[in-house]
């Protein structure tokens, strides 16, 4: 069965760090782009960061310099290291996969509606 399992979300204070994990099961992440998306309370889905199969990356302006996406092929997992967290990072974070470029993938979160997993909740207190 094709699915993602997101984990690592938690309640942290302003300026704290978290590492989110997105583990794929039922299929291989090889040759596929993977993206992290989020939905904050009362807002639309947003592409946070996406990575291609060869390691090229895209970051939303709001997270550049603070978040780092990486992938572990052996573990079939993609990570999102989040540093210097801010209250505006509070959201449920989801991952998805596609065969397009990271920039295209992150710019079109609506493509992945209906395929999100349960997500992982990040809450940043001020």
């Amino acid at each position: 069965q094709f699915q993602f399992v997101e984990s690592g979300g938690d309640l942290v204070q302003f300026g704290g760090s978290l590492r989110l994990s997105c583990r794929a099961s039922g299929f291989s992440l090889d040759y596929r782009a993977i993206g992290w998306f989020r939905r904050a309370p009362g807002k639309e889905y947003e592409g946070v960061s996406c990575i291609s199969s060869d390691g090229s990356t895209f970051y939303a302006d709001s997270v550049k310099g603070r978040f780092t996406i990486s992938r572990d092929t052996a573990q079939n997992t993609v990570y999102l290291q989040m540093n210097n967290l801010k209250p505006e990072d509070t959201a449920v974070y989801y991952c998805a996969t596609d065969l397009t470029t990271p920039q295209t993938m992150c710019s079109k979160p609506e493509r992945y509606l209906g395929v999100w997993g349960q997500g992982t909740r990040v809450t940043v207190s001020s």
Side-chain angles (χ1 to χ4, degrees):
Q1 183 179 356
F2 173 108
Q3 69 173 358
F4 281 115
V5 177
E6 301 97 340
S7 62
D10 206 343
L11 169 64
V12 296
Q13 291 187 337
F14 181 94
S17 297
L18 285 174
R19 188 176 82 154
L20 305 184
S21 299
C22 169
R23 182 175 178 86
S25 64
F27 70 105
S28 172
L29 293 179
D30 291 353
Y31 312 113
R32 302 185 69 87
I34 310 298
W36 280 100
F37 301 83
R38 68 186 179 187
R39 188 172 190 185
K43 296 189 176 181
E44 298 296 321
Y45 287 99
E46 175 189 15
V48 176
S49 181
C50 297
I51 185 169
S52 71
S53 58
D54 65 1
S56 61
T57 57
F58 173 87
Y59 294 94
D61 287 344
S62 58
V63 307
K64 280 181 181 177
R66 300 188 298 122
F67 290 11
T68 303
I69 191 170
S70 62
R71 58 193 299 161
D72 184 333
T73 301
Q75 297 295 322
N76 217 29
T77 299
V78 174
Y79 302 99
L80 186 67
Q81 177 66 42
M82 306 189 297
N83 298 328
N84 192 21
L85 282 161
K86 304 176 181 181
E88 50 264 43
D89 296 318
T90 294
V92 180
Y93 286 70
Y94 305 89
C95 52
T97 183
D98 207 333
L99 293 173
T100 187
T101 66
Q103 182 170 0
T104 297
M105 188 176 186
C106 266
S107 68
K108 297 183 184 296
E110 64 275 10
R111 285 172 57 95
Y112 311 103
L113 293 177
V115 300
W116 305 120
Q118 64 180 10
T120 187
R121 184 177 300 275
V122 173
T123 304
V124 185
S125 63
S126 58

